[in-house]
């Protein structure tokens, strides 16, 4: 959606395709980080964006062995918005779609599922929808997520980094509080992230990869007890989980393509590199890919030039940040999640690296920088053709 907005702003005729009928679904992730907020500011859209319902989180905290620890403190970042905006992803997508709709050359087509690529002389010239309709394009961008059909159809080679976890995703009621209380509980051989969405918790209960079926087989009552044990503060409300329809399995993967492009086609976002939930950075990395793609391609495309020779530059630009973030995610998978969630090690005291964060609070500025702004941050450089109505 971000790529669609930027290419339309640069004067290209854009068609964004979405297979679902609406955005109102449980997407993975609610975190709009300072890096993305800065991009919205550069586009002059930040004030409008912040009018949408959201919460602002300046410190990311976790409860480890019953102690509250500040893991990332955003309040010193060198940007205007020194916070993570917690906004359900449907709201963010709807915002971008609304902004893009101001461009007469932008069109969003819902219930349009891409099923195949159209090829001519081995060049991608568009795609086919499940309805049989063919859409031709000078450039096709595969932004269809971690289960991308298009990346498979393009035969892009992929490196799987493995992920030891999946996530069970469910809601539990909560009292509204003045401050957003999003946080996580690590310990008791389990991990649960609680996203504060006002009058309910959006809970992400981390389980070993492939374990969901066995957990379900034990029954909902056993699951309620497990959740209450992992996060005792949720014990009074777990009773509202009545059946498995309320619990969704979100499958986690960590991989990347070793080639993101071929003539006529470019993969970005999770389609190019599926991200783990660790750090809540995937949405923001996908947005940065979209900005880089527009910076490199939108001007030449709008001017009618052949952009095939430029496609590799997008991969060259974005591979480094992808590698860095995935290396950190993999380290957290191996050193934190596997011991806690897979081997079920019980934390009875705060591990020493986290103890350091408690003693030297300025250390929490380092993860804040990595998570909040990332590496090789993009800025809006693509042209504005002045077509906005
Ligand atoms: C459990 C979990 C929690 C996460 N939490 C966070 C978080 O808090 N913050 C964060 O930043 N990241 C988080 N992530 C990572 C984040 O979800 C992804 O990195 C991010 O959504 C990638 O964005 P994308 O636009 O590339 O793909 P997606 O968000 O997956 O979007 C792809 C879109 O394409 C559509 N689509 C798919 N196939 C087709 C098709 N064939 N035709 C037409 N449309 C199609 C889909 O319906 C979807 O709308 C989490 C990941 C997991 C697994």
């Amino acid at each position: 959606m971000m790529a669609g907005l930027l290419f339309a702003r640069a004067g290209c005729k854009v068609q964004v395709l979405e297979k679902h009928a609406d955005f109102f679904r449980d997407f993975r992730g609610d975190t709009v980080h300072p890096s993305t907020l800065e991009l919205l500011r550069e586009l002059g859209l930040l004030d409008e964006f912040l009018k949408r319902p959201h919460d602002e989180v300046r410190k990311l905290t976790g409860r480890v062995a019953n102690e509250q620890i500040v893991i990332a403190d955003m309040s010193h970042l060198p940007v205007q918005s020194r916070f993570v905006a917690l906004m359900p992803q449907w709201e963010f997508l709807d915002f971008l779609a609304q902004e893009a709709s101001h461009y007469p050359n932008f069109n969003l087509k819902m219930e349009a599922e891409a099923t195949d690529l159209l090829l001519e002389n081995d060049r991608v010239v568009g795609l086919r929808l499940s309805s049989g309709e063919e859409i031709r394009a000078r450039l096709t961008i595969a932004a269809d997520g971690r289960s991308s059909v298009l990346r498979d159809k393009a035969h892009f080679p992929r490196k799987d980094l493995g992920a030891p976890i999946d996530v069970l995703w469910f809601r539990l009621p909560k009292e509204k509080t003045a401050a957003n209380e999003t946080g996580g509980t690590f310990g008791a051989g389990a991990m649960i992230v609680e996203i504060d969405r006002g009058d309910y918790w959006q809970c992400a209960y981390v389980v070993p990869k492939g374990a969901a079926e066995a957990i379900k087989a034990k029954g909902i009552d056993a699951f309620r007890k497990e959740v209450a044990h992992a996060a005792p503060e949720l014990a009074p409300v777990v009773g509202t989980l009545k059946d498995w329809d309320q619990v969704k399995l979100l499958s986690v993967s960590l991989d990347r393509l070793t080639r993101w492009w071929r003539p006529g086609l470019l993969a970005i976002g999770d389609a190019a590199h599926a991200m783990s939930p660790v750090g809540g950075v995937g949405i923001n990395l996908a947005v940065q890919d979209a900005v880089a793609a527009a910076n490199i391609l939108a001007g030449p495309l709008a001017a009618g030039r052949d952009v095939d020779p430029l496609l590799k530059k997008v991969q060259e630009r974005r591979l480094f940040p992808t590698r860095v973030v995935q290396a950190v995610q993999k380290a957290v998978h191996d050193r934190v999640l596997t011991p806690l969630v897979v081997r079920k090690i019980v934390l009875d005291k705060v591990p020493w690296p986290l103890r350091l964060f408690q003693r030297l609070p300025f250390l929490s500025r380092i993860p804040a920088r990595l998570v909040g702004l990332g590496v090789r941050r993009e800025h809006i450089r693509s042209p504005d053709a002045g077509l906005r109505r």
Side-chain angles (χ1 to χ4, degrees):
M1 196 65 80
M2 186 62 148
L5 168 64
L6 293 174
F7 277 80
R9 178 174 169 273
C12 305
K13 188 174 173 206
V14 174
Q15 175 80 269
V16 172
L17 306 170
E18 166 55 53
K19 70 176 174 183
H20 289 99
D22 56 41
F23 300 130
F24 200 72
R25 294 175 288 121
D26 267 328
F27 279 93
R28 305 173 181 97
D30 290 30
T31 54
V32 182
H33 285 202
S35 57
T36 304
L37 297 172
E38 266 302 284
L39 291 168
L40 294 174
R41 189 187 62 75
E42 289 174 14
L43 285 168
L45 302 178
L46 185 62
D47 292 344
E48 212 44 46
F49 173 77
L50 293 176
K51 285 185 192 157
R52 298 256 174 163
H54 72 282
D55 280 309
E56 297 176 7
V57 176
R58 283 156 215 277
K59 291 184 180 173
L60 305 180
T61 60
R63 209 175 49 247
V64 184
N66 275 327
E67 289 188 47
Q68 201 70 22
I69 299 193
V70 176
I71 297 165
D73 179 358
M74 309 268 168
S75 52
H76 300 274
L77 291 178
V79 287
Q80 184 182 312
S81 305
R82 298 179 189 133
F83 54 83
V84 171
L86 277 182
M87 179 183 285
Q89 206 177 126
W90 60 76
E91 198 74 62
F92 182 34
L93 287 170
D94 190 57
F95 171 76
L96 292 178
Q98 196 197 328
E99 288 303 326
S101 70
H102 291 301
Y103 295 94
N105 48 330
F106 175 90
N107 186 39
L108 168 62
K109 192 174 165 80
M110 304 299 284
E111 291 186 277
E113 182 176 4
T115 51
D116 210 349
L117 294 168
L118 300 178
L119 293 173
E120 257 170 32
N121 300 324
D122 216 28
R123 183 176 188 280
V124 175
V125 293
L127 42 76
R128 184 171 297 111
L129 302 183
S130 57
S131 61
E133 185 187 347
E134 292 187 350
I135 297 182
R136 296 178 74 85
R138 285 172 53 219
L139 173 66
T140 302
I141 297 185
D144 49 344
R146 65 197 48 234
S147 315
S148 169
V149 170
L150 298 183
R151 75 176 182 182
D152 288 346
K153 296 286 179 188
H155 304 294
F156 285 142
R158 181 156 54 107
K159 181 173 174 178
D160 195 350
L161 304 175
I165 53 157
D166 283 329
V167 168
L168 294 176
W169 188 249
F170 51 90
R171 295 174 179 194
L172 292 175
K174 79 175 275 284
E175 301 260 310
K176 274 196 177 177
T177 44
N180 189 291
E181 295 186 341
T182 294
T185 301
F186 314 81
M191 178 177 165
I192 187 160
V193 175
E194 296 142 54
I195 301 171
D196 183 346
R197 284 195 186 154
D199 56 358
Y200 70 91
W201 294 113
Q202 179 62 63
C203 300
Y205 184 55
V206 185
V207 299
K209 178 125 232 109
E213 278 313 308
I215 291 172
K216 281 189 179 177
K218 285 195 230 155
I220 194 82
D221 191 42
F223 181 64
R224 285 195 290 255
K225 286 189 183 127
E226 219 176 293
V227 172
H229 181 65
E233 70 279 10
L234 296 176
V237 288
V238 283
T240 56
L241 280 181
K242 301 283 185 215
D243 63 59
W244 289 112
D245 287 346
Q246 293 166 262
V247 183
K248 294 202 179 78
L249 170 66
L250 300 185
S251 159
V252 176
S253 37
L254 190 64
D255 67 33
R256 64 175 173 260
L257 303 180
T258 53
R259 191 182 159 114
W260 300 15
W261 60 276
R262 56 182 279 179
L265 178 71
L266 172 72
I268 61 170
D270 267 23
H273 45 72
M275 305 306 287
S276 151
V278 169
V281 289
I283 298 166
N284 303 278
L285 217 71
V287 166
Q288 300 269 322
D289 284 1
V291 172
N295 286 349
I296 294 168
L297 305 171
L301 196 70
R305 281 172 42 202
D306 172 14
V307 293
D308 284 354
L310 299 175
L311 296 178
K312 66 169 182 293
K313 288 185 187 289
V314 180
Q315 175 175 353
E316 282 164 8
R317 169 101 198 142
R318 298 303 305 155
L319 188 57
F320 173 66
T322 303
R323 276 207 180 116
V324 172
V325 174
Q326 289 191 326
V328 174
Q329 292 190 324
K330 179 140 179 53
V332 174
H333 282 179
D334 294 347
R335 299 201 186 152
V336 181
L337 297 177
T338 299
L340 265 182
V341 177
V342 182
R343 297 211 301 274
K344 300 232 172 272
I345 290 174
V346 175
L347 283 181
D348 46 14
K349 59 177 198 280
V350 177
W352 69 263
L354 290 178
R355 184 65 73 197
L356 268 184
F357 277 75
Q358 265 178 326
R359 298 223 173 106
L360 307 168
F362 69 88
L363 284 182
S364 60
R365 296 183 196 176
I366 300 168
R369 181 102 195 192
L370 185 67
V371 168
L373 297 181
V375 285
R376 195 178 275 172
R377 193 149 60 92
E378 302 295 341
H379 296 278
I380 307 289
R381 310 247 188 260
S382 50
D384 181 351
L387 299 176
R388 193 185 154 102
R389 357 170 230 225

